[in-house]
Amino acid sequence: KAGVTQTPRYLIKTRGQQVTLSCSPISGHRSVSWYQQTPGQGLQFLFEYFSETQRNKGNFPGRFSGRQFSNSRSEMNVSTLELGDSALYLCASSLAGPKSSNEQFFGPGTRLTVL
Amino acid sequence: GQNIDQPTEMTATEGAIVQINCTYQTSGFNGLFWYQQHAGEAPTFLSYNVLDGLEEKGRFSSFLSRSKGYSYLLLKELQMKDSASYLCAVRDLKTGGSYIPTFGRGTSLIVHP
């Protein structure tokens, strides 16, 4: 079974630009979550999508948005990039439900650098 | 909301045992996870606890006490490859039915010869 894939793996942008990151979950997984990871901050939750609907959202500004398609693939978009947006963006997929461990499987991440 | 605390950094000797603690405050507790993350790589699942007690899986064990809001990850017979960041994550039922866990900042474990 293929794992979670993310594209691109590395990205360099300049302030003010926008960026779109893509995530393909494990086949059969309907929940896709996005996290931002920076040194010393740990994994900061951005949002979760389930069946094409945003089900949960973290404390990030509206510049961060996302969507999920009918095949469960997800994209996240960051507009008007700031230097502080430089981070590793991780996508995780899970079966999503209350009665099992429902561990999250993480993709390799997209390393975004904003200059 | 949730508040998850774990030590920032720990060091240990190859072959030894190390215990990484995690304390949390949450409502509607629905499970605690431990993940391992090597530098430059994605987190990988280690363990899941939802009931009190010890879960053993090879060299790694995880303990949970829900009444104390406390968990620990125990690593035995440490190997150099165990040098990594260990993330504690707590799940509770969120608005809308989501079961996404909240992660602590991670404990960086350094294993030296």
Side-chain angles (χ1 to χ4, degrees), chain A residues 2 8 12 18 30 34 42 47 59 68 72 88 95 101 103 105 108 115:
Chain A
I12 299 176
Q18 74 164 16
R30 297 166 64 190
W34 289 90
F47 28 65
N59 296 321
Q68 187 180 34
S72 293
L88 179 67
L95 286 170
S101 67
E103 65 186 87
F105 295 84
L115 302 176

Coordinates of all heavy atoms in Angstrom, one line a residue, chain A residues 2 8 12 18 30 34 42 47 59 68 72 88 95 101 103 105 108 115:
Chain A
A2 N 0.7 2.1 -0.9 CA 1.5 3.3 -1.0 C 1.2 4.2 0.2 O 0.1 4.3 0.7 CB 1.2 4.1 -2.3
P8 N 5.2 19.8 -3.9 CA 6.6 19.4 -4.1 C 7.3 19.1 -2.8 O 6.7 19.4 -1.7 CB 7.2 20.6 -4.8 CG 6.5 21.8 -4.2 CD 5.1 21.3 -4.0
I12 N 10.9 27.2 -2.9 CA 11.5 28.6 -2.5 C 10.6 29.6 -3.1 O 10.4 29.6 -4.4 CB 12.9 28.7 -2.9 CG1 13.8 27.7 -2.3 CG2 13.4 30.1 -2.6 CD1 15.3 27.7 -2.7
Q18 N 2.2 33.6 -3.5 CA 1.4 32.5 -3.0 C 1.9 31.2 -3.4 O 2.7 31.0 -4.3 CB -0.1 32.7 -3.4 CG -0.3 32.3 -4.8 CD -1.8 32.1 -5.1 OE1 -2.7 32.5 -4.4 NE2 -2.2 31.4 -6.2
R30 N -9.9 8.8 4.5 CA -10.8 10.0 4.1 C -10.4 11.2 4.9 O -10.9 12.3 4.5 CB -12.2 9.6 4.4 CG -12.7 8.4 3.5 CD -14.0 7.9 4.0 NE -15.1 8.8 3.9 CZ -16.3 8.7 4.4 NH1 -16.6 7.6 5.1 NH2 -17.2 9.6 4.2
W34 N -3.4 18.9 7.9 CA -2.2 19.6 7.6 C -1.6 20.2 8.8 O -2.3 20.7 9.7 CB -2.5 20.8 6.6 CG -2.8 20.3 5.2 CD1 -4.1 20.0 4.7 CD2 -1.9 20.1 4.1 NE1 -4.0 19.6 3.4 CE2 -2.7 19.7 3.0 CE3 -0.5 20.3 4.0 CZ2 -2.1 19.4 1.8 CZ3 0.0 20.0 2.8 CH2 -0.7 19.6 1.7
G42 N 7.2 22.7 17.4 CA 6.5 21.5 17.3 C 5.5 21.5 16.1 O 5.6 22.4 15.2
F47 N -5.4 22.5 9.6 CA -6.8 22.2 9.4 C -6.9 20.7 9.0 O -5.9 20.1 8.7 CB -7.5 23.0 8.3 CG -6.6 23.6 7.3 CD1 -5.9 22.8 6.4 CD2 -6.4 25.0 7.2 CE1 -5.1 23.3 5.4 CE2 -5.6 25.5 6.2 CZ -5.0 24.7 5.3
N59 N -5.4 27.6 14.7 CA -5.3 29.1 14.9 C -4.3 29.7 13.9 O -3.3 30.3 14.4 CB -5.0 29.4 16.3 CG -6.0 28.9 17.3 OD1 -7.2 29.0 17.0 ND2 -5.6 28.4 18.5
Q68 N -10.3 19.8 -0.2 CA -10.2 18.3 -0.4 C -11.0 17.9 -1.6 O -12.2 18.4 -1.7 CB -10.5 17.5 0.8 CG -10.2 16.0 0.7 CD -10.6 15.2 1.9 OE1 -11.6 15.6 2.6 NE2 -9.8 14.2 2.2
S72 N -10.2 12.3 -2.2 CA -9.5 12.6 -0.9 C -8.2 13.3 -1.0 O -7.6 13.7 0.0 CB -9.3 11.3 -0.1 OG -10.6 10.7 0.3
L88 N 8.4 23.4 7.6 CA 8.1 22.1 7.0 C 6.5 21.9 7.1 O 6.0 22.0 8.2 CB 8.8 21.0 7.7 CG 8.5 19.6 7.2 CD1 9.1 19.4 5.8 CD2 9.2 18.6 8.1
L95 N -7.8 7.0 8.9 CA -9.2 6.4 8.6 C -10.2 7.3 9.2 O -11.3 7.5 8.7 CB -9.3 5.0 9.1 CG -8.6 3.9 8.3 CD1 -8.6 2.6 9.0 CD2 -9.2 3.8 6.9
S101 N -7.5 3.1 17.0 CA -6.4 4.0 17.2 C -6.3 5.1 16.2 O -5.9 6.2 16.5 CB -5.0 3.2 17.2 OG -4.8 2.7 15.9
E103 N -4.4 5.9 13.9 CA -3.1 6.6 13.9 C -3.0 7.4 12.6 O -3.6 7.1 11.6 CB -2.0 5.7 14.0 CG -1.9 4.7 12.8 CD -0.8 3.6 12.9 OE1 -1.2 2.6 13.5 OE2 0.3 3.9 12.5
F105 N -0.9 8.8 9.5 CA 0.3 8.5 8.7 C 0.8 9.8 8.0 O 0.0 10.4 7.3 CB 0.0 7.4 7.7 CG -0.4 6.1 8.3 CD1 -1.7 5.8 8.8 CD2 0.6 5.1 8.4 CE1 -2.0 4.6 9.3 CE2 0.2 3.9 9.0 CZ -1.1 3.6 9.5
P108 N 6.1 12.9 3.7 CA 7.5 13.4 3.9 C 7.6 14.9 4.1 O 8.6 15.4 4.5 CB 8.2 13.0 2.6 CG 7.1 12.9 1.6 CD 5.9 12.5 2.3
L115 N 11.8 33.8 1.0 CA 12.9 34.8 1.0 C 12.5 36.2 0.9 O 11.4 36.5 0.4 CB 13.9 34.5 -0.2 CG 14.5 33.1 -0.2 CD1 15.3 32.9 -1.5 CD2 15.3 32.8 1.0

